[in-house]
Amino acid sequence: MTVTRIREFRTLRGLTVRDLADRAGVSTGLISQVERGVTDPSLETMRRIAEVLEVPLFSLFQDGEDDSVAVIRRENRYRISSPHHAITYTRVSPGGAKLEVLEGNLEPGAVSADTLRTHPSEECVVVLTGRLTVEVGDQVHVLKTGDSCHFDSNIPHRFRNDGRTSARFMVSVTPPSY
């Protein structure tokens, strides 16, 4: 199980477990279990918690180190996924930086979110293997291995995998947000 900084951010904002649970639309038991590292929540649950706490999603896993050079070993990356692991993100950049870099894996037929989402950032996604459909507002772009797409994250967006194989991609987000 993953230890998070949810309790730290919650108490800094003067929220009770019930306050956070109500605002995030989850049970108090789930918040308590996540804070104690007893269970790993879904990606969507972590997004809702980050939004309530007004922090970037992966800052909930920040290790607190403040080095001028950060080396993140593959086996030490923070990982988060959807309930059935249809999408998985691992953070390849350090927490607390001005730029967040994530490696994503999206299974065939899966989406990064049920609905198009917005957040106050800009993103650049690069497809490493497979095909990735990027929906940004009314636009739909199918990216193949090696293709990239840059967009304003204030525009509703999400990723889809309409292919038959997993899509692996890197996404850079600045500034980090939920």
Side-chain angles (χ1 to χ4, degrees):
M1 296 300 137
T2 304
V3 177
T4 68
R5 297 178 63 203
I6 293 172
R7 177 180 289 132
E8 176 185 343
F9 287 115
R10 178 179 59 75
T11 55
L12 277 172
R13 282 155 182 74
L15 297 174
T16 65
V17 170
R18 174 155 308 284
D19 293 336
L20 178 57
D22 289 348
R23 292 179 189 179
V26 298
S27 71
T28 55
L30 178 63
I31 296 293
S32 175
Q33 290 176 352
V34 171
E35 285 187 349
R36 292 181 288 127
V38 174
T39 189
D40 286 330
S42 71
L43 174 60
E44 184 57 33
T45 298
M46 289 301 285
R47 280 180 175 153
R48 287 187 279 174
I49 291 170
E51 287 174 9
V52 170
L53 296 174
E54 298 176 332
V55 297
L57 173 67
F58 272 90
S59 69
L60 296 176
F61 306 100
Q62 188 172 331
D63 49 21
E65 292 181 19
D66 187 23
D67 296 326
S68 59
V69 175
V71 175
I72 295 90
R73 304 285 179 208
R74 181 178 203 85
E75 63 272 9
N76 295 331
R77 290 183 189 172
Y78 288 111
R79 179 180 183 271
I80 191 163
S81 62
S82 62
H84 302 291
H85 304 289
I87 185 158
T88 302
Y89 288 106
T90 58
R91 186 178 68 198
V92 300
S93 59
K98 295 175 187 168
L99 172 69
E100 183 170 67
V101 182
L102 308 171
E103 181 177 346
N105 190 69
L106 191 58
E107 294 300 319
V111 293
S112 60
D114 292 335
T115 60
L116 300 180
R117 304 181 59 85
T118 65
H119 51 97
S121 301
E122 61 182 274
E123 293 184 41
C124 184
V125 60
V126 180
V127 178
L128 303 174
T129 60
R131 291 180 183 245
L132 186 70
T133 300
V134 180
E135 296 179 67
V136 182
D138 298 348
Q139 299 178 34
V140 177
H141 303 279
V142 178
L143 307 179
K144 298 179 287 187
T145 300
D147 292 345
S148 62
C149 179
H150 176 269
F151 56 91
D152 181 340
S153 303
N154 286 298
I155 302 169
H157 62 280
R158 72 176 177 175
F159 305 136
R160 289 191 336 238
N161 183 349
D162 299 327
R164 295 182 187 160
T165 61
S166 294
R168 208 171 109 242
F169 56 95
M170 296 294 280
V171 62
S172 299
V173 182
T174 188
S177 65
Y178 42 81

